[in-house]
Amino acid sequence: MTTPRRPFITAAFAVVTLLLSGCTSTGSATGEDAATTPRLADVAPIADPAAWDGPSTAVAPASPVDPVTVGEQSLPAMITDAQGTTVEVDDTSRILALDIYGSLSRTVFELGFGDQVVGRDISSGFAEIADRPLVTQNGHDLNAEAILDLAPTLIITDTSLGPWDTVLQMRDAGIDVVVVDSHRSLDSIGSLIDGVAAALGVPERGTALADRVTASVDATVADIAAIAPADGERLRMVFLYVRGQSGVYYLFGQESGADALVSALGGVDVSSEIGWTGMRPVTDEGLVAANPDLILVMTGGLESVEGVDGLLEALPALQQTPAGEHRRVVDMADSQILSFGPDTARVLEALAVAVYAPDQAG
């Protein structure tokens, strides 16, 4: 039983949701599958990352699902979701977990409900879900007919996929729909897992999984800090969202998740330094003021401008910065780089190798 409400989204996250809805690529910047980035423990950091010339690609290694199974399910589960909607979940036999990063489906699998998942979104690329039918089309658009054909009893989603009317249609069809918070950052990983676990009626498993993921992220951040330059020598980093075919160039700032990513990588979050909050269109003045040493981008964005040369041509002011001068651009799959889900530790590790051992990134 649900009490439908339309989503309330902060202005900043509404922008990022709209932007990311155009992301479809998960390949490398060359359009080919990139080799998996080696583990941080298996590489030797270069002596001076600020002197490195050239781009690198981060590819997080695949990891099998390791489900938490200790903790009995208790249904019905009465949920007040991220929108304040009351949902009584009484059947989890056929589950869809859908978002723009594939984090929700992975979380459901990690909570031991993989066998009940009946479909997937395009961003859910881990091996255990590969045989499930897609319910998204044209990138990240929800296909109502495909969803209804699978007869789900529970849909767990957020506001990163659309059209929203399709979600409302599922509720009108009598399907339990639980909407979790779309905002992602390092600090939100535990609450995201807890929210999914609550919807599945397994809060005890959620606590265990959140603890496990948080511990692995903390350990990875500590490992990165051990190889990152000392204060005063840290790389100045910015995250650019690029869609060349649409002429869209945004700098992601505070409260976008990119700031947390930069901090975890041991870099200086330039957006915080210059007071850049949310997501704003890039300006020449903004780039020059930021003066980054390194640019983080989504792989699909770099592909859309035909690589680093195209990025420098599209944003000439970038050439006046150390990042542009040295062509230091690190890209990672659109579905991974800001996902902040169960795979966060592997994402951070792969990015750290691409930043601090670019000659060995693969």
Side-chain angles (χ1 to χ4, degrees), residues 18-329:
L18 177 62
L19 292 176
L20 295 181
S21 65
C23 301
T24 58
S25 172
T26 58
S28 70
T30 62
E32 301 175 355
D33 291 336
T36 298
T37 302
R39 301 296 302 270
L40 193 58
D42 297 330
V43 301
I46 58 177
D48 183 4
W52 175 260
D53 288 300
S56 57
T57 296
V59 181
S63 178
V65 169
D66 181 17
V68 175
T69 57
V70 176
E72 294 299 318
Q73 185 183 40
S74 177
L75 293 178
M78 188 66 71
I79 306 299
T80 300
D81 72 8
Q83 297 177 351
T85 304
T86 300
V87 186
E88 183 179 348
V89 178
D90 54 13
D91 186 351
T92 59
S93 61
R94 300 182 64 82
I95 303 167
L96 286 174
L98 310 169
D99 70 329
I100 205 164
Y101 295 113
S103 298
L104 293 179
S105 60
R106 179 75 188 221
T107 301
V108 169
F109 270 74
E110 295 286 1
L111 289 168
F113 287 80
D115 289 344
Q116 288 98 299
V117 174
V118 295
R120 64 183 175 93
D121 52 58
I122 196 171
S123 297
S124 296
F126 54 98
E128 290 86 350
I129 202 174
D131 62 345
R132 315 300 158 88
L134 278 172
V135 297
T136 51
Q137 61 182 3
N138 300 324
H140 299 283
D141 292 339
L142 296 171
N143 184 320
E145 182 177 353
I147 292 173
L148 291 172
D149 282 348
L150 294 175
T153 58
L154 172 64
I155 297 174
I156 303 173
T157 189
D158 60 17
T159 52
S160 65
L161 299 178
W164 185 250
D165 284 346
T166 299
V167 177
L168 296 181
Q169 182 181 346
M170 298 306 105
R171 283 179 167 164
D172 290 342
I175 301 168
D176 288 335
V177 178
V178 175
V179 180
V180 300
D181 190 358
S182 294
H183 182 264
R184 303 295 172 84
S185 73
L186 288 180
D187 293 337
S188 70
I189 296 173
S191 61
L192 178 72
I193 292 171
D194 287 341
V196 174
L200 296 172
V202 286
E204 183 180 348
R205 295 189 196 181
T207 299
L209 178 60
D211 288 346
R212 188 179 81 188
V213 173
T214 299
S216 68
V217 170
D218 289 346
T220 301
V221 171
D223 289 342
I224 295 170
I227 65 168
D231 288 347
E233 299 177 359
R234 294 189 297 160
L235 293 176
R236 298 169 57 80
M237 302 182 191
V238 296
F239 188 105
L240 295 183
Y241 176 85
V242 177
R243 278 300 177 268
Q245 68 272 30
S246 304
V248 174
Y249 302 91
Y250 271 65
L251 193 154
F252 281 17
Q254 300 172 81
E255 301 176 11
S256 68
D259 51 342
L261 185 69
V262 169
S263 296
L265 291 173
V268 174
D269 175 36
V270 180
S271 68
S272 297
E273 186 178 86
I274 64 176
W276 195 286
T277 300
M279 290 68 63
R280 302 189 204 171
V282 171
T283 64
D284 290 345
E285 295 79 5
L287 279 177
V288 172
N291 198 34
D293 295 311
L294 182 142
I295 304 295
L296 296 169
V297 295
M298 295 177 177
T299 297
L302 199 56
E303 290 175 342
S304 75
V305 292
E306 300 183 2
V308 175
D309 288 338
L311 181 62
L312 294 175
E313 181 179 350
L315 298 173
L318 192 56
Q319 301 176 36
Q320 302 176 38
T321 70
E325 179 184 355
H326 293 279
R327 299 167 56 83
R328 275 194 300 268
V329 178

